[in-house]
Amino acid sequence: GGVGEMLKGFLPKRSVRKRMTVREAREVLKNQHAERLVDKEEVKEEARRRAQEEGIVFIDELDKVARREGAVGPDVSGEGVQRDLLPIVEGTVVSTRIGPVSTEHVLFIAAGAFHVAKPSDLIPELQGRFPIRVELSPLGPEEFYRILKEPENSLVRQYTELLKADGTELYFHEDALLAIAEAAYRANQALEDIGARRLATVLERVLEEVSFQTDLGRVEITRAYVEKRLEAVFASPDLTRFVL
């Protein structure tokens, strides 16, 4: 029971016999020897040093804990989170699995959409710890196009690999990607600006028909195909709101 679990860490590990080739055995022995050469305490100390001297912490969606303007009654949960963040941002020592880490020289960056709340709705003490404020412009068609093209695991590649397993080979024309990017930008302008997340809903709508079929062979996605799939959606404001 519990005593056995406690003693397990002190007892020598039981050796396990395994048959393998000479090449496999050489690889295992090499890894075991390399592991013995690593000073784990030294690695932990270096990790602590880097975290303390070169660490960067990014806090996303900070607007979610800000008090909304015009809200009635105390916002206990949101203000509580802000007050919990305050000492960490100001500089304190926190416990981690590699030991105590000081946050005094750690760079903290916070971000949020602030559609409803404003940065001034945060508690004054926390506002003072983020003195530099930058307002970003909305993503445009060019940025959406790059998001579709450049990341290693972009949505386009994900859909291509997913449908390939069902016998469908997707091929996106460049003008089709531009049309999808333009549609995402247009939807963000007409509705709430949710940034790059809009690409997922637009792409899902474009590929809705082929996603539920199998063994279609090569399917070419052109600008005309994209515009045809989205034509009905953009024609109706209500449909745009609920579909995209």
Side-chain angles (χ1 to χ4, degrees), residues 21 34 57 82 107 124 170 181 189 198 214 229 234:
T21 64
V57 175
Q82 293 181 62
L107 173 63
L170 284 180
Q189 292 291 101
R198 186 71 67 185
T214 59
R229 293 292 305 158
F234 280 112

Side-chain angles (χ1 to χ4, degrees), residues 38-56:
V38 175
D39 186 338
K40 292 185 178 179
E41 289 304 315
E42 188 178 329
V43 170
K44 283 185 179 180
E45 191 57 37
E46 177 63 14
R48 269 190 348 113
R49 185 194 67 77
R50 291 191 183 190
Q52 292 181 145
E53 297 178 10
E54 305 170 20
I56 299 175

Side-chain angles (χ1 to χ4, degrees), residues 12 20 63 71 87 92 97 144 169 184 189 197 203 232 236:
M20 60 181 66
D63 57 309
T92 187
R97 59 189 181 87
F144 282 130
E169 184 184 349
Q189 292 291 101
R197 288 191 290 269
L203 203 53
S236 167

Side-chain angles (χ1 to χ4, degrees), residues 11-212:
L11 297 174
K13 291 183 180 179
R14 184 180 298 175
S15 59
V16 178
R17 290 182 176 273
K18 184 179 179 182
R19 187 181 293 274
M20 60 181 66
T21 64
V22 173
R23 177 180 292 181
E24 291 171 340
R26 187 183 293 120
E27 190 66 27
V28 170
L29 290 170
K30 185 174 72 173
N31 291 337
Q32 288 178 350
H33 183 64
E35 194 174 329
R36 290 193 197 100
L37 294 175
V38 175
D39 186 338
K40 292 185 178 179
E41 289 304 315
E42 188 178 329
V43 170
K44 283 185 179 180
E45 191 57 37
E46 177 63 14
R48 269 190 348 113
R49 185 194 67 77
R50 291 191 183 190
Q52 292 181 145
E53 297 178 10
E54 305 170 20
I56 299 175
V57 175
F58 183 81
I59 305 171
D60 198 10
E61 298 191 351
L62 191 64
D63 57 309
K64 298 296 190 295
V65 297
R67 180 182 174 84
R68 269 63 171 173
E69 187 178 5
V72 180
D75 182 16
V76 180
S77 59
E79 187 172 325
V81 173
Q82 293 181 62
R83 296 203 177 278
D84 286 341
L85 283 172
L86 191 58
I88 300 173
V89 176
E90 286 180 331
T92 187
V93 176
V94 295
S95 298
T96 71
R97 59 189 181 87
I98 59 170
V101 172
S102 170
T103 64
E104 190 172 350
H105 300 294
V106 172
L107 173 63
F108 286 88
I109 302 172
F114 289 100
H115 288 310
V116 180
K118 302 191 298 292
S120 58
D121 293 327
L122 296 167
I123 60 174
E125 300 93 326
L126 193 60
Q127 289 182 51
R129 292 299 164 185
F130 293 98
I132 301 173
R133 295 181 188 173
V134 178
E135 186 173 343
L136 302 179
S137 302
L139 294 172
E142 299 83 6
E143 289 79 28
F144 282 130
Y145 174 75
R146 290 183 61 191
I147 292 169
L148 288 171
K149 282 279 291 183
E150 295 180 10
E152 186 178 346
N153 297 315
S154 68
L155 283 171
V156 170
R157 289 192 177 94
Q158 288 180 39
Y159 268 105
T160 302
E161 294 301 320
L162 184 66
L163 295 183
K164 188 186 290 184
D166 292 328
T168 300
E169 184 184 349
L170 284 180
Y171 177 77
F172 287 85
H173 288 242
E174 291 295 312
D175 58 355
L177 295 178
L178 284 169
I180 293 169
E182 290 162 5
Y185 175 72
R186 185 176 162 191
N188 272 353
Q189 292 291 101
L191 309 170
E192 182 185 357
D193 189 347
I194 59 173
R197 288 191 290 269
R198 186 71 67 185
L199 285 171
T201 56
V202 172
L203 203 53
E204 183 181 357
R205 180 68 181 180
V206 169
L207 299 176
E208 187 177 34
E209 195 173 284
V210 298
S211 293
F212 293 98

